[in-house]
Protein backbone atom coordinates (compact mmCIF):
# COMPACT_ATOMS: atom_id res chain seq x y z
CA UNK A 1 0.00 0.00 0.00
CA UNK A 2 1.19 3.57 -0.71
CA UNK A 3 2.13 5.92 2.07
CA UNK A 4 -1.06 6.70 4.02
CA UNK A 5 -2.78 9.99 3.32
CA UNK A 6 -3.11 10.68 7.05
CA UNK A 7 0.18 10.01 8.88
CA UNK A 8 0.40 9.40 12.60
CA UNK A 9 1.06 12.36 14.88
CA UNK A 10 4.85 12.78 15.33
CA UNK A 11 5.74 11.97 18.96
CA UNK A 12 8.13 14.92 19.18
CA UNK A 13 5.19 17.27 18.65
CA UNK A 14 3.78 16.27 22.03
CA UNK A 15 7.01 16.61 24.01
CA UNK A 16 6.14 20.13 25.29
CA UNK A 17 2.66 19.00 26.32
CA UNK A 18 1.52 18.31 29.85
CA UNK A 19 2.36 21.72 31.32
CA UNK A 20 1.31 22.29 34.96
CA UNK A 21 0.30 25.32 37.01
CA UNK A 22 3.65 25.11 38.78
CA UNK A 23 5.58 25.15 35.48
CA UNK A 24 4.03 28.48 34.54
CA UNK A 25 4.39 29.89 38.06
CA UNK A 26 8.10 29.12 37.96
CA UNK A 27 8.43 30.61 34.47
CA UNK A 28 6.80 33.89 35.55
CA UNK A 29 8.80 33.97 38.79
CA UNK A 30 12.04 33.67 36.83
CA UNK A 31 11.07 36.78 34.84
CA UNK A 32 10.61 38.94 37.95
CA UNK A 33 13.29 41.47 38.90
CA UNK A 34 15.43 40.84 41.95
CA UNK A 35 14.71 42.55 45.24
CA UNK A 36 12.92 42.17 48.57
CA UNK A 37 9.58 43.23 47.07
CA UNK A 38 9.68 40.27 44.66
CA UNK A 39 9.72 37.29 47.02
CA UNK A 40 10.36 33.80 45.62
CA UNK A 41 8.90 31.89 48.54
CA UNK A 42 6.05 29.63 47.26
CA UNK A 43 3.87 30.57 50.26
CA UNK A 44 4.13 34.32 49.58
CA UNK A 45 1.13 36.24 48.28
CA UNK A 46 2.94 37.13 45.04
CA UNK A 47 3.83 33.52 44.24
CA UNK A 48 0.33 32.33 45.02
CA UNK A 49 -0.99 34.98 42.62
CA UNK A 50 1.43 33.78 39.94
CA UNK A 51 0.26 30.21 40.58
CA UNK A 52 -3.34 31.30 39.94
CA UNK A 53 -2.27 32.93 36.67
CA UNK A 54 -0.32 29.78 35.79
CA UNK A 55 -3.42 27.61 36.06
CA UNK A 56 -5.12 29.39 33.14
CA UNK A 57 -1.92 29.56 31.07
CA UNK A 58 -1.33 25.82 31.58
CA UNK A 59 -4.93 25.08 30.59
CA UNK A 60 -4.56 27.08 27.34
CA UNK A 61 -1.20 25.39 26.69
CA UNK A 62 -2.60 21.89 27.07
CA UNK A 63 -5.71 22.67 25.01
CA UNK A 64 -3.35 23.66 22.20
CA UNK A 65 -1.83 20.18 22.47
CA UNK A 66 -5.34 18.72 22.35
CA UNK A 67 -5.95 20.61 19.13
CA UNK A 68 -2.78 19.12 17.62
CA UNK A 69 -4.08 15.65 18.48
CA UNK A 70 -7.52 16.41 17.05
CA UNK A 71 -5.91 17.44 13.75
CA UNK A 72 -5.09 13.77 13.14
CA UNK A 73 -8.23 11.55 12.86
CA UNK A 74 -6.49 8.50 14.34
CA UNK A 75 -6.13 10.47 17.61
CA UNK A 76 -9.26 12.60 17.38
CA UNK A 77 -11.98 12.38 20.04
CA UNK A 78 -13.66 15.77 20.43
CA UNK A 79 -13.57 16.54 16.69
CA UNK A 80 -14.30 12.97 15.62
CA UNK A 81 -17.93 13.83 14.71
CA UNK A 82 -16.57 16.53 12.38
CA UNK A 83 -14.17 14.06 10.75
CA UNK A 84 -17.09 11.69 10.26
CA UNK A 85 -19.17 14.46 8.73
CA UNK A 86 -16.38 15.31 6.27
CA UNK A 87 -15.89 11.66 5.26
CA UNK A 88 -19.60 10.87 5.01
CA UNK A 89 -19.72 8.55 8.00
CA UNK A 90 -21.65 6.78 9.30
CA UNK A 91 -22.86 5.39 5.98
CA UNK A 92 -25.07 2.47 4.99
CA UNK A 93 -22.25 0.02 5.81
CA UNK A 94 -21.61 1.37 9.31
CA UNK A 95 -22.63 -0.84 12.26
CA UNK A 96 -25.52 0.93 14.01
CA UNK A 97 -24.66 2.19 17.49
CA UNK A 98 -22.24 0.77 19.98
CA UNK A 99 -19.07 1.53 17.97
CA UNK A 100 -16.06 2.32 20.11
CA UNK A 101 -14.02 5.47 19.64
CA UNK A 102 -11.15 3.37 18.28
CA UNK A 103 -13.39 1.68 15.70
CA UNK A 104 -14.79 5.02 14.55
CA UNK A 105 -11.29 6.48 14.26
CA UNK A 106 -10.16 3.47 12.23
CA UNK A 107 -13.03 3.82 9.75
CA UNK A 108 -12.41 7.53 9.27
CA UNK A 109 -8.73 6.88 8.53
CA UNK A 110 -9.66 4.00 6.21
CA UNK A 111 -12.09 6.24 4.32
CA UNK A 112 -9.46 8.95 3.91
CA UNK A 113 -6.77 6.48 2.85
CA UNK A 114 -8.92 4.50 0.43
CA UNK A 115 -7.97 5.58 -3.09
CA UNK A 116 -10.03 3.06 -4.99
CA UNK A 117 -8.76 0.39 -7.35
CA UNK A 118 -9.59 -3.21 -8.19
CA UNK A 119 -6.47 -5.10 -7.16
CA UNK A 120 -6.48 -7.82 -4.52
CA UNK A 121 -4.33 -5.71 -2.24
CA UNK A 122 -6.87 -2.87 -2.34
CA UNK A 123 -9.56 -5.11 -0.83
CA UNK A 124 -7.17 -6.57 1.73
CA UNK A 125 -6.21 -3.08 2.84
CA UNK A 126 -9.85 -2.01 2.94
CA UNK A 127 -10.79 -4.95 5.18
CA UNK A 128 -7.81 -4.44 7.46
CA UNK A 129 -8.17 -0.66 7.82
CA UNK A 130 -11.98 -0.56 8.16
CA UNK A 131 -12.68 -3.61 10.36
CA UNK A 132 -9.28 -5.01 11.33
CA UNK A 133 -9.99 -8.19 9.33
CA UNK A 134 -7.28 -10.33 7.75
CA UNK A 135 -8.80 -11.10 4.35
CA UNK A 136 -7.91 -13.75 1.78
CA UNK A 137 -9.00 -13.19 -1.81
CA UNK A 138 -9.29 -15.81 -4.55
CA UNK A 139 -10.03 -15.43 -8.24
CA UNK A 140 -11.29 -18.11 -10.63
CA UNK A 141 -11.12 -18.69 -14.34
CA UNK A 142 -12.86 -20.96 -16.83
CA UNK A 143 -11.59 -24.36 -17.96
CA UNK A 144 -9.32 -24.29 -20.99
CA UNK A 145 -8.00 -27.53 -22.45
CA UNK A 146 -4.37 -27.90 -23.37
CA UNK A 147 -2.71 -24.50 -23.10
CA UNK A 148 -2.54 -24.47 -19.33
CA UNK A 149 -0.83 -27.81 -18.87
CA UNK A 150 2.38 -27.19 -16.92
CA UNK A 151 5.78 -27.93 -18.38
CA UNK A 152 8.20 -30.17 -16.53
CA UNK A 153 9.99 -27.05 -15.41
CA UNK A 154 7.59 -24.18 -14.51
CA UNK A 155 10.47 -21.73 -14.75
CA UNK A 156 11.37 -22.86 -18.27
CA UNK A 157 10.91 -20.33 -21.10
CA UNK A 158 7.42 -20.55 -22.54
CA UNK A 159 5.92 -22.26 -19.49
CA UNK A 160 2.24 -21.38 -19.22
CA UNK A 161 1.05 -19.60 -16.03
CA UNK A 162 -1.06 -21.97 -13.98
CA UNK A 163 -3.43 -21.98 -11.03
CA UNK A 164 -5.89 -19.45 -9.68
CA UNK A 165 -4.65 -16.04 -8.72
CA UNK A 166 -3.81 -15.19 -5.11
CA UNK A 167 -1.89 -12.07 -5.90
CA UNK A 168 0.45 -14.36 -7.88
CA UNK A 169 0.18 -17.49 -10.00
CA UNK A 170 0.41 -20.79 -8.17
CA UNK A 171 2.60 -23.09 -10.26
CA UNK A 172 1.56 -26.15 -8.24
CA UNK A 173 -1.99 -26.15 -9.64
CA UNK A 174 -3.04 -26.44 -13.25
CA UNK A 175 -5.94 -26.69 -15.65
CA UNK A 176 -6.70 -28.52 -18.86
CA UNK A 177 -5.83 -32.02 -17.68
CA UNK A 178 -8.04 -35.10 -17.65
CA UNK A 179 -10.27 -35.12 -14.57
CA UNK A 180 -10.13 -31.36 -13.99
CA UNK A 181 -13.38 -29.66 -12.98
CA UNK A 182 -15.23 -28.09 -15.90
CA UNK A 183 -16.28 -24.47 -15.56
CA UNK A 184 -17.79 -21.97 -17.98
CA UNK A 185 -16.67 -18.52 -18.98
CA UNK A 186 -18.77 -16.84 -16.30
CA UNK A 187 -16.24 -17.97 -13.67
CA UNK A 188 -13.87 -15.26 -14.87
CA UNK A 189 -16.26 -12.76 -13.21
CA UNK A 190 -16.36 -14.58 -9.84
CA UNK A 191 -14.09 -13.94 -6.89
CA UNK A 192 -14.18 -15.17 -3.33
CA UNK A 193 -13.17 -13.70 0.01
CA UNK A 194 -12.76 -15.35 3.38
CA UNK A 195 -11.10 -14.85 6.74
CA UNK A 196 -7.45 -15.85 6.57
CA UNK A 197 -7.46 -15.94 10.35
CA UNK A 198 -10.85 -16.48 12.08
CA UNK A 199 -9.37 -14.79 15.15
CA UNK A 200 -9.28 -11.54 13.17
CA UNK A 201 -13.09 -11.45 12.90
CA UNK A 202 -14.54 -8.41 14.68
CA UNK A 203 -16.56 -8.87 17.88
CA UNK A 204 -20.09 -10.00 17.12
CA UNK A 205 -19.13 -11.53 13.77
CA UNK A 206 -20.77 -14.92 13.45
CA UNK A 207 -21.93 -17.17 10.64
CA UNK A 208 -25.11 -19.19 11.31
CA UNK A 209 -25.83 -22.14 9.02
CA UNK A 210 -29.30 -23.32 8.07
CA UNK A 211 -30.68 -26.31 9.99
CA UNK A 212 -34.01 -27.80 9.10
CA UNK A 213 -36.56 -27.26 11.87
CA UNK A 214 -34.24 -25.02 13.88
CA UNK A 215 -34.51 -21.28 14.30
CA UNK A 216 -31.45 -19.93 12.46
CA UNK A 217 -31.45 -16.48 13.95
CA UNK A 218 -33.03 -15.04 17.11
CA UNK A 219 -33.98 -11.84 15.25
CA UNK A 220 -36.08 -13.78 12.74
CA UNK A 221 -39.28 -14.35 14.67
CA UNK A 222 -40.96 -17.57 13.60
CA UNK A 223 -38.06 -18.63 11.36
CA UNK A 224 -37.73 -22.38 11.91
CA UNK A 225 -35.52 -23.44 9.03
CA UNK A 226 -38.36 -23.66 6.53
CA UNK A 227 -38.23 -23.64 2.74
CA UNK A 228 -37.15 -20.24 1.49
CA UNK A 229 -34.91 -19.40 4.45
CA UNK A 230 -31.28 -18.49 3.61
CA UNK A 231 -28.74 -21.28 3.94
CA UNK A 232 -26.36 -18.98 5.75
CA UNK A 233 -26.83 -15.69 7.52
CA UNK A 234 -24.32 -13.41 9.16
CA UNK A 235 -24.59 -11.46 12.36
CA UNK A 236 -23.65 -7.93 13.19
CA UNK A 237 -20.24 -6.81 11.94
CA UNK A 238 -19.95 -9.43 9.20
CA UNK A 239 -23.06 -7.97 7.60
CA UNK A 240 -21.53 -4.49 7.53
CA UNK A 241 -18.22 -5.86 6.31
CA UNK A 242 -19.91 -7.63 3.39
CA UNK A 243 -21.81 -4.42 2.64
CA UNK A 244 -18.49 -2.59 2.39
CA UNK A 245 -17.01 -5.16 -0.01
CA UNK A 246 -20.09 -5.29 -2.20
CA UNK A 247 -20.18 -1.52 -2.42
CA UNK A 248 -16.55 -1.38 -3.60
CA UNK A 249 -16.43 -4.46 -5.83
CA UNK A 250 -16.46 -4.16 -9.65
CA UNK A 251 -20.12 -3.95 -10.68
CA UNK A 252 -19.87 -6.76 -13.25
CA UNK A 253 -18.44 -9.32 -10.79
CA UNK A 254 -20.00 -11.75 -8.35
CA UNK A 255 -18.57 -11.81 -4.85
CA UNK A 256 -18.73 -15.13 -3.00
CA UNK A 257 -18.26 -15.01 0.78
CA UNK A 258 -16.95 -17.94 2.79
CA UNK A 259 -16.04 -17.53 6.45
CA UNK A 260 -13.37 -20.23 6.55
CA UNK A 261 -11.08 -20.38 3.54
CA UNK A 262 -10.38 -24.12 3.07
CA UNK A 263 -14.00 -25.20 2.38
CA UNK A 264 -14.70 -23.14 -0.73
CA UNK A 265 -11.11 -23.06 -1.90
CA UNK A 266 -10.77 -26.84 -2.02
CA UNK A 267 -14.12 -27.28 -3.73
CA UNK A 268 -13.20 -24.95 -6.58
CA UNK A 269 -9.51 -25.67 -6.57
CA UNK A 270 -9.46 -26.21 -10.32
CA UNK A 271 -12.49 -24.11 -11.23
Amino acid sequence: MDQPVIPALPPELLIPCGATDEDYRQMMADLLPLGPVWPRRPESTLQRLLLAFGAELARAHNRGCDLAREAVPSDSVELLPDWERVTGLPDECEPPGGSTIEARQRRVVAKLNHRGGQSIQVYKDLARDSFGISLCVREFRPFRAGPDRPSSDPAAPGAAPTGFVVGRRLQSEFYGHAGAVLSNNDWRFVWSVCLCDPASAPPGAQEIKFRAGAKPHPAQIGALGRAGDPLRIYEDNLVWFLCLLNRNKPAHTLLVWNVLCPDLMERFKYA
Side-chain angles (χ1 to χ4, degrees):
M1 184 178 179
D2 296 335
Q3 197 70 14
V5 177
I6 304 298
L9 192 67
E12 58 271 16
L13 186 63
L14 299 179
I15 291 177
C17 295
T20 65
D21 306 355
E22 177 61 25
D23 292 334
Y24 271 95
R25 184 205 66 77
Q26 185 62 52
M27 185 192 317
M28 290 185 286
D30 292 341
L31 296 175
L32 293 175
L34 300 177
V37 298
W38 309 106
R40 263 58 176 182
R41 301 186 310 276
E43 66 276 9
S44 65
T45 301
L46 176 62
Q47 294 300 317
R48 288 193 305 231
L49 178 63
L50 294 182
L51 185 64
F53 290 156
E56 180 60 21
L57 292 173
R59 187 194 69 81
H61 177 116
N62 292 325
R63 289 300 285 166
C65 291
D66 292 340
L67 182 60
R69 293 189 186 93
E70 296 293 328
V72 179
S74 57
D75 295 310
S76 179
V77 176
E78 293 181 68
L79 295 182
L80 185 56
D82 292 281
W83 280 110
E84 291 176 323
R85 175 181 54 81
V86 169
T87 54
L89 295 173
D91 56 21
E92 68 275 13
C93 294
E94 183 80 3
S99 291
T100 64
I101 292 294
E102 291 77 10
R104 293 168 59 195
Q105 291 170 341
R106 184 173 63 239
R107 290 182 189 121
V108 167
V109 173
K111 190 75 174 288
L112 292 171
N113 283 342
H114 182 56
R115 303 179 184 182
Q118 297 180 359
S119 69
I120 288 177
Q121 192 59 46
V122 164
Y123 295 103
K124 287 184 175 182
D125 293 339
L126 187 63
R128 180 198 63 214
D129 296 340
S130 299
F131 286 91
I133 290 177
S134 176
L135 189 69
C136 282
V137 179
R138 301 290 188 270
E139 293 179 323
F140 306 98
R141 71 182 195 182
F143 177 92
R144 292 193 303 166
D148 289 337
R149 290 189 62 82
S151 65
S152 57
D153 180 8
T162 61
F164 54 77
V165 181
V166 193
R168 62 186 178 87
R169 301 285 183 176
L170 298 182
Q171 297 292 339
S172 62
E173 297 176 356
F174 56 90
Y175 299 83
H177 64 287
V181 176
L182 295 178
S183 55
N184 59 33
N185 286 330
D186 289 341
W187 274 103
R188 69 176 71 250
F189 304 115
V190 177
W191 56 297
S192 171
V193 296
C194 57
L195 298 180
C196 296
D197 178 12
S200 72
Q206 182 181 0
E207 179 191 57
I208 302 177
K209 297 181 180 180
F210 175 91
R211 289 194 306 161
K215 181 185 292 187
H217 194 286
Q220 294 179 318
I221 300 175
L224 299 175
R226 300 170 298 185
D229 288 339
L231 297 180
R232 293 185 181 187
I233 55 178
Y234 305 100
E235 285 190 329
D236 302 330
N237 283 330
L238 280 183
V239 174
W240 314 112
F241 171 57
L242 292 177
C243 172
L244 182 69
L245 287 183
N246 277 296
R247 189 179 65 187
N248 288 277
K249 74 177 180 66
H252 66 286
T253 63
L254 174 64
L255 174 60
V256 178
W257 166 253
N258 193 51
V259 173
L260 298 179
C261 294
D263 175 47
L264 189 66
M265 294 307 100
E266 288 301 318
R267 189 183 315 165
F268 293 102
K269 190 173 184 179
Y270 299 108

